[in-house]
Amino acid sequence: MSNGRGRFITLEGAEGVGKSTHLPFVTDFLRARGLEVIQTREPGGTALAEGIRGLFLAAHEMPPESELLLLFAARASHLREVILPALQRGAWVVCDRFTDATYAYQGGGRGIDAAWIAELEARVQGELRPDWVLVLDAPVAVGRARAAARRGVVDRIEGEGDAFFERVRQVYRMRAQQPGYRLLDASGSIDTVQLQLRQILEDILSHERS
Ligand code: Z5A
């Protein structure tokens, strides 16, 4: 690789697109090529951040600003305790959601000004951004039907309506136009999505080696 630092890959997308399903595939693919890989998630990844996740998902009302600040409080802990140390020792970090989710859910979904999110991003993360963002995309009805078929208790975010998840999806699709992002069609079978993932991961590895 071009320097000693590991690489930071995030999986993103709206509800039920298959992030949790495909995370082990990504991790196993990279490990099979001899890389040290840490698999983690947001909100979460440390004792403090998992505690915040419980609060965040709890089924009661919460102002959008509280959501935003809780997410960055969790992220600060996750970064300092898990993500940065791993990257610094050369490990690759594969994370189920990161700050793109904040732009999509709190920005698109809740209507918080993206400039405020960007300010917190700069303060909490400094220069750190994911090296690669894999955005799984599927029509809202497809993702919601999958999530509903699997679901136990509905959390505070899952209880939102289709219009909320349409806004989330549109922010993801727009953000996926940036360099370093890859947009995958996640509406097909698990095998079809993993074929795309394999191709993208091969491309990432050859790019990182060059
Ligand atoms: N959140 C936020 O608002 N702001 C932030 O900054 C961050 C997060 C970081 C985390 O909850 C919530 O936090 C999330 C956003 C918010 N809320 N929502 N919605 P979570 O981690 O519990 O929920 P999630 O991230 O949305 O995960 P999910 O709903 O479980 O979606 P998923 O991981 O993408 O899907 P999955 O569990 O892999 O798949 C769902 C089901 O579909 C499952 O039964 C699979 O077997 C099935 N599946 C998956 N792929 C396929 C295909 N291709 N075909 C058929 N069936 C499939």
Side-chain angles (χ1 to χ4, degrees):
M1 302 301 158
S2 52
N3 63 39
R5 174 186 168 284
R7 295 293 183 268
F8 184 21
I9 300 182
T10 61
L11 262 71
E12 294 281 3
E15 186 188 33
V17 291
K19 297 173 306 299
S20 312
T21 302
H22 298 301
L23 207 69
F25 176 86
V26 173
T27 305
D28 290 349
F29 181 96
L30 296 171
R31 285 191 181 135
R33 277 133 189 98
L35 296 164
E36 181 194 350
V37 184
I38 303 295
Q39 181 180 311
T40 186
R41 70 171 181 182
E42 288 225 343
T46 66
L48 174 63
E50 290 291 336
I52 293 172
R53 178 189 177 90
L55 268 178
F56 175 80
L57 293 176
H60 52 69
E61 291 298 308
M62 187 183 295
E65 295 80 4
S66 301
E67 281 193 5
L68 179 68
L69 295 168
L70 281 176
L71 287 161
F72 273 102
R75 190 159 294 143
S77 159
H78 193 205
L79 273 170
R80 275 161 191 69
E81 286 185 41
V82 176
I83 297 175
L84 290 172
L87 293 173
Q88 277 154 12
R89 71 166 185 270
W92 285 46
V93 176
V94 179
C95 191
D96 188 342
R97 298 192 183 281
F98 193 63
T99 306
D100 284 288
T102 313
Y103 282 102
Y105 282 80
Q106 282 62 51
R110 301 286 190 222
I112 288 185
D113 186 350
W116 191 20
I117 302 174
E119 197 177 327
L120 285 169
E121 181 181 40
R123 295 241 175 220
V124 171
Q125 297 170 216
E127 308 258 295
L128 184 84
R129 301 289 179 276
D131 297 291
W132 302 98
V133 181
L134 313 184
V135 179
L136 301 175
D137 179 63
V140 167
V142 171
R144 301 209 81 188
R146 286 181 191 159
R150 170 218 54 193
R151 184 152 46 219
V153 177
V154 176
D155 67 41
R156 206 170 46 80
I157 307 272
E158 288 166 342
E160 292 294 335
D162 286 352
F164 175 94
F165 287 101
E166 284 294 353
R167 294 195 296 278
V168 168
R169 182 185 184 205
Q170 291 318 318
V171 172
Y172 272 130
R173 289 176 61 88
M174 271 168 32
R175 291 185 65 77
Q177 305 309 312
Q178 302 170 88
Y181 286 66
R182 297 289 183 273
L183 186 70
L184 289 83
D185 177 1
S187 61
S189 68
I190 290 174
D191 284 351
T192 313
V193 179
Q194 291 184 349
L195 264 176
Q196 296 173 67
L197 271 174
R198 178 181 297 279
Q199 184 60 55
I200 286 170
L201 291 169
E202 297 282 13
D203 288 349
I204 288 175
L205 286 176
S206 67
H207 181 277
E208 293 290 355
R209 281 193 205 100
S210 62

